[in-house]
Amino acid sequence: MLTQLFPLLDPVHATSDLVLRLRALADDAAHLQHVRSVSPALLRSAPLLKFWVPALRPEGLRLIGQVTGHPLIKGRMIMTSPLWFADPAGRWVRTLSRYYRLGPPANPVEASLITSLQITAPDTGNDETSEKGA
């Protein structure tokens, strides 16, 4: 029933890769709970997301923007997988598989254009397939 409305809830998506990503996310959550910051070295190696705009989707809050430095996607618009953590100072966000450094958000005109696009995201929880070109 719920999996018809929200296919990402289907246990078929509980792959060994997802388990590893969830463990890494839990480790980062424990670190953030105590330290409340991310190491500068980790942020230097994180992809940069510029001209971003938030997108509330059934699977959670995502960002749409232009990415550089992504290990799989080169210099194009993406929709991240759902966000799990965000820096109160606006410097970074954490998705299921990685941190992103945040550059400038989209200006109002760009944001309006981006949010008017019909963007579909995969139904899986796999961050690598979710973070495809928007």
Side-chain angles (χ1 to χ4, degrees), residues 21 47 62 67 70-73 76-82 95-98 100 122 126-134:
R21 290 169 194 256
R62 295 172 171 234
V67 70
H70 193 286
L72 302 173
I73 302 167
R76 51 189 257 202
M77 296 293 286
I78 65 164
M79 175 184 283
T80 68
S81 63
T95 67
L96 181 59
S97 67
R98 68 183 36 86
Y100 285 91
N126 182 332
D127 213 29
E128 298 307 333
T129 58
S130 297
E131 292 176 348
K132 296 290 186 192

Side-chain angles (χ1 to χ4, degrees), residues 15-127:
T15 64
S16 58
D17 182 58
L18 178 61
V19 171
L20 290 174
R21 290 169 194 256
L22 289 170
R23 283 193 179 126
L25 179 64
D27 290 345
D28 284 347
H31 175 80
L32 290 169
Q33 179 184 24
H34 291 81
V35 179
R36 306 255 187 242
S37 66
V38 178
S39 79
L42 191 150
L43 286 181
R44 277 193 298 277
S45 65
L48 175 64
L49 192 63
K50 300 187 298 185
F51 316 121
W52 53 269
V53 57
L56 188 56
R57 307 289 298 210
E59 61 277 2
L61 180 64
R62 295 172 171 234
L63 295 179
I64 301 170
Q66 183 181 6
V67 70
T68 55
H70 193 286
L72 302 173
I73 302 167
K74 305 299 179 203
R76 51 189 257 202
M77 296 293 286
I78 65 164
M79 175 184 283
T80 68
S81 63
L83 304 182
W84 284 88
F85 301 104
D87 176 27
R91 295 171 297 186
W92 56 264
V93 295
R94 174 66 157 91
T95 67
L96 181 59
S97 67
R98 68 183 36 86
Y99 283 93
Y100 285 91
R101 291 176 292 137
L102 292 179
N107 68 42
V109 172
E110 293 165 334
S112 176
L113 177 61
I114 291 169
T115 56
S116 71
L117 298 172
Q118 294 295 322
I119 299 171
T120 58
D123 293 328
T124 70
N126 182 332
D127 213 29

